[in-house]
């Protein structure tokens, strides 16, 4: 695992490698009881979950943001949030998911790894985005494999501080999704800043979309549960 990460310029300590291996063991074990991931082979998990989640660490804005607060919306089995928390002990992480079974799993990971920089919450983004203690409170909001960008922005932007960043993990349809989200950018007061492309192995293209929140979110967003998905901006 260390060698694979180092190929991309990410250095794991022995302790971090050990923690990721424990995370893998828990993932595979709990996956037999509930559907956490279709990817379970060790090397595939390293590449497609652990490494894929970690590419944000190569970005300069991320590197300079010590003590940042980070929210992972729709974290699922903890990708990217749990992986980033393991590798970035200087930052504080909140993992949000609408399925309680996943939150129970993530709590087992937190306890097994004795992580002190991670909290988990069960609930919908539309609900939590209206809570005072969450709304416009995070330096970074991340999300991976949750929804198309017009929907995802309404889930995520209300959590981002003014001048903070929403970072969306996307595949090769990212340009099309950015075009579809033009109205969402206007309505939510957000600006697309830049995109970073990287490859997993040779054939798999991945993108990180850096979207900055330029203003406090309008009171009407996010709309009620289910509305962003039914009627995207």
């Amino acid at each position: 695992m260390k060698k694979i990460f180092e190929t991309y310029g990410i250095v794991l300590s022995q302790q971090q490698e050990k923690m990721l291996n424990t995370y893998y063991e828990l993932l595979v074990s709990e996956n037999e009881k509930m559907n956490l991931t279709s990817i379970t082979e060790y090397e595939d998990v390293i590449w497609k979950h652990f490494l894929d989640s970690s590419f944000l660490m190569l970005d300069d804005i991320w590197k300079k943001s010590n003590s940042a607060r980070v929210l992972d919306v729709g974290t699922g089995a903890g990708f990217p949030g749990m992986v980033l928390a393991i590798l970035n002990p200087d930052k504080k992480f909140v993992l949000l998911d609408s399925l309680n079974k996943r939150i129970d799993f993530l709590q087992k990971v937190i306890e097994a790894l004795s992580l002190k920089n991670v909290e988990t919450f069960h609930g919908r983004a539309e609900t939590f985005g209206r809570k005072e203690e969450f709304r416009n409170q995070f330096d970074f909001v991340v999300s991976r494999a949750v929804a198309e960008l017009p929907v995802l922005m309404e889930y995520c932007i209300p959590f981002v501080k003014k001048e903070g960043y929403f970072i969306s993990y996307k595949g090769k349809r990212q340009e099309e999704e950015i075009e579809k989200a033009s109205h969402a950018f206007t309505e939510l007061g957000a600006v697309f800043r830049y995109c970073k492309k990287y490859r997993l192995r040779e054939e798999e293209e991945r993108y990180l979309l850096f979207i900055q929140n330029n203003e406090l979110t309008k009171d009407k967003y996010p709309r009620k549960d289910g509305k962003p998905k039914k009627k995207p901006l």
Side-chain angles (χ1 to χ4, degrees), residues 1-173:
M1 191 189 302
K2 283 184 76 172
K3 286 182 179 177
I4 291 171
F5 272 71
E6 283 171 6
T7 302
Y8 290 85
I10 302 170
V11 178
L12 299 183
S13 68
Q14 286 187 331
Q15 177 67 7
Q16 287 168 339
E17 184 180 32
K18 183 179 178 183
M19 292 168 82
L20 288 172
N21 277 323
T22 301
Y23 185 9
Y24 169 75
E25 289 164 9
L26 286 166
L27 178 70
V28 172
S29 172
E30 293 296 316
N31 201 58
E32 293 177 0
K33 305 170 194 174
M34 69 180 100
N35 182 26
L36 292 167
T37 177
S38 59
I39 299 167
T40 55
E41 290 298 321
Y42 180 67
E43 193 167 324
D44 286 340
V45 171
I46 291 173
W47 282 95
K48 296 184 178 183
H49 284 327
F50 292 170
L51 183 64
D52 188 39
S53 295
S54 305
F55 275 104
L56 179 52
M57 292 173 61
L58 300 175
D59 179 72
D60 287 340
I61 290 174
W62 178 267
K63 288 178 185 177
K64 293 173 184 174
S65 59
N66 295 332
S67 303
R69 291 190 72 209
V70 186
L71 172 68
D72 183 4
V73 173
T75 188
F79 310 124
M82 186 67 79
V83 177
L84 289 170
I86 291 168
L87 302 184
N88 295 268
D90 61 311
K91 294 177 173 62
K92 297 185 184 301
F93 291 81
V94 173
L95 311 184
L96 176 66
D97 200 87
S98 61
L99 193 62
N100 204 37
K101 287 182 179 179
R102 293 184 191 133
I103 295 299
D104 289 342
F105 162 70
L106 294 172
Q107 279 300 132
K108 289 180 182 178
V109 176
I110 289 167
E111 289 164 20
L113 302 182
S114 300
L115 290 170
K116 305 298 183 189
N117 64 331
V118 191
E119 288 183 280
T120 62
F121 289 90
H122 168 233
R124 296 179 67 102
E126 300 99 315
T127 303
F128 274 74
R130 291 191 167 274
K131 292 178 182 281
E132 188 177 344
E133 64 269 35
F134 286 83
R135 190 174 178 85
N136 298 132
Q137 293 299 311
F138 293 88
D139 302 286
F140 297 102
V141 175
V142 296
S143 192
R144 176 180 180 263
V146 171
E148 284 204 336
L149 202 57
V151 177
L152 195 56
M153 284 181 62
E154 188 171 353
Y155 290 160
C156 294
I157 293 295
F159 293 107
V160 184
K161 282 181 180 179
K162 188 176 179 181
E163 298 185 359
Y165 282 87
F166 163 46
I167 300 150
S168 179
Y169 286 65
K170 286 294 180 183
K172 55 188 176 183
R173 287 185 57 245

Side-chain angles (χ1 to χ4, degrees), residues 184-199:
F185 279 105
T186 302
E187 276 295 293
L188 296 167
V191 177
F192 174 68
R193 290 300 184 199
Y194 58 96
C195 171
K196 285 205 166 179
K197 176 182 175 181
Y198 55 94
R199 286 184 183 273

